[in-house]
Amino acid sequence: MKIMCWLDSEDYWYLNSLNDKQASIDFYAYIMEVEEPDSQDQNKIRILVVELITAKVVVGFAIPDSMKLEGEQELGFICQEKPAKDIPLLYKLSDEVKKVTYSGDDIQKIEYAGFSLEKFYENKEAKFYLYNIRPPKPENQDQP
C-alpha cells in the first residue's frame, strides 16, 4: 500500500532536489496514540508520524485501527505543479508508541494531537502536515 501526501510547493521541490541528487533522506517513523484519560475502552486514535529529518518535513496520518503497518511502507509526495509525478519514499516503522490523553470525540483528539505535533516540530524548525485517512464513520441507521 502507498500513501500519497500533498505538500506545499516549496517542500515538494526541496524534497525533489534531494531525490534528483539521490541524496539519502534520513527518516524516523512512529505511532502516537491519543486515548481518553482513565478510560478502560479501546477508543483511541492512532497517528502514524513520519519525520523526514533531512528535508525538515514531518507528515502525520490519522489511521484506521484496521490498518496494518508491518515491514516497509511507501509514501509518495506530490504538489500542485506536479500532481502526476510523485516522489517515492520507503520507510520502516519503529517500535516506538507515544501515548497522550485527551478528552473529546475522535476529531477533537486528532486536532489536539495535530496541534501538539505541529508546535513540537515547529520548535525543531520542521514543517508538519496532518492527514486524516480514516474512513468516515457510518451514519446511525436507526435515525430517519
Side-chain angles (χ1 to χ4, degrees), residues 8 11 14 22 28 36-37 46 48 50 54-55 62 66 70 74 90-91 95 113-114 119 127 137 143:
D8 289 340
D11 294 326
Y14 181 66
Q22 297 179 345
Y28 184 72
E36 291 280 332
R46 291 186 325 146
L48 165 64
V50 182
T54 311
S66 62
E70 298 169 351
E74 186 175 4
L90 292 175
Y91 72 94
D95 292 332
K119 289 301 174 191
K127 178 119 180 231
K137 287 190 174 186
Q143 294 182 355

Side-chain angles (χ1 to χ4, degrees), residues 48-63:
L48 165 64
V49 180
V50 182
E51 301 176 0
L52 306 176
I53 299 163
T54 311
K56 294 195 176 211
V57 170
V58 181
V59 290
F61 305 93
I63 58 174

Side-chain angles (χ1 to χ4, degrees), residues 76-87:
F77 300 95
I78 58 175
C79 77
Q80 185 173 350
E81 291 90 17
K82 292 288 186 180
K85 183 184 182 249
D86 69 287
I87 304 166

